[in-house]
């Protein structure tokens, strides 16, 4: 499944639970939403750099093959 570009941009979304079928998050999908923290499932394999606000804490399932996180900061798996 995919979340398209600007899908929730400028909304007042406070939290979201991603399905384990999610694979892609496109440009600006959650930009300016005020999301404090999100958790990405292991299935996410593509995400645009501007999918979230820069101050959103991003946690990544440890089984994700593409991404990782440390202290809420997103990295590729190899850091």
């Amino acid at each position: 499944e995919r979340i398209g570009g600007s899908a929730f941009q400028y909304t007042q979304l406070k939290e979201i639970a991603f399905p384990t079928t999610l694979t892609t998050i496109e440009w600006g999908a959650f930009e300016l939403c005020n999301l404090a923290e999100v958790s990405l499932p292991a299935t996410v394999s593509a995400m645009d750099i501007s999918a979230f606000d820069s101050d959103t804490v991003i946690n990544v399932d440890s089984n994700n093959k593409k991404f990782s996180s440390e202290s809420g900061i997103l990295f590729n798996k190899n850091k």
Side-chain angles (χ1 to χ4, degrees):
E1 291 183 26
R2 168 184 311 267
I3 297 175
S6 303
F8 296 96
Q9 191 176 45
Y10 299 108
T11 64
Q12 294 303 309
L13 193 63
K14 297 293 182 198
E15 62 182 61
I16 190 165
F18 295 117
T20 57
T21 53
L22 180 65
T23 60
T24 305
I25 304 173
E26 295 180 350
W27 177 89
F30 296 95
E31 195 172 39
L32 303 170
C33 282
N34 299 319
L35 276 172
E37 186 171 353
V38 295
S39 295
L40 300 181
T43 53
V44 174
S45 59
M47 183 170 56
D48 190 89
I49 193 166
S50 64
F52 296 95
D53 289 333
S54 61
D55 61 346
T56 302
V57 173
I58 300 174
N59 301 303
V60 180
D61 186 297
S62 62
N63 294 315
N64 188 297
K65 292 180 169 71
K66 181 79 175 185
F67 300 105
S68 63
S69 63
E70 188 173 307
S71 300
I73 300 170
L74 181 69
F75 295 96
N76 66 25
K77 195 63 171 186
N78 299 325
K79 293 187 188 175

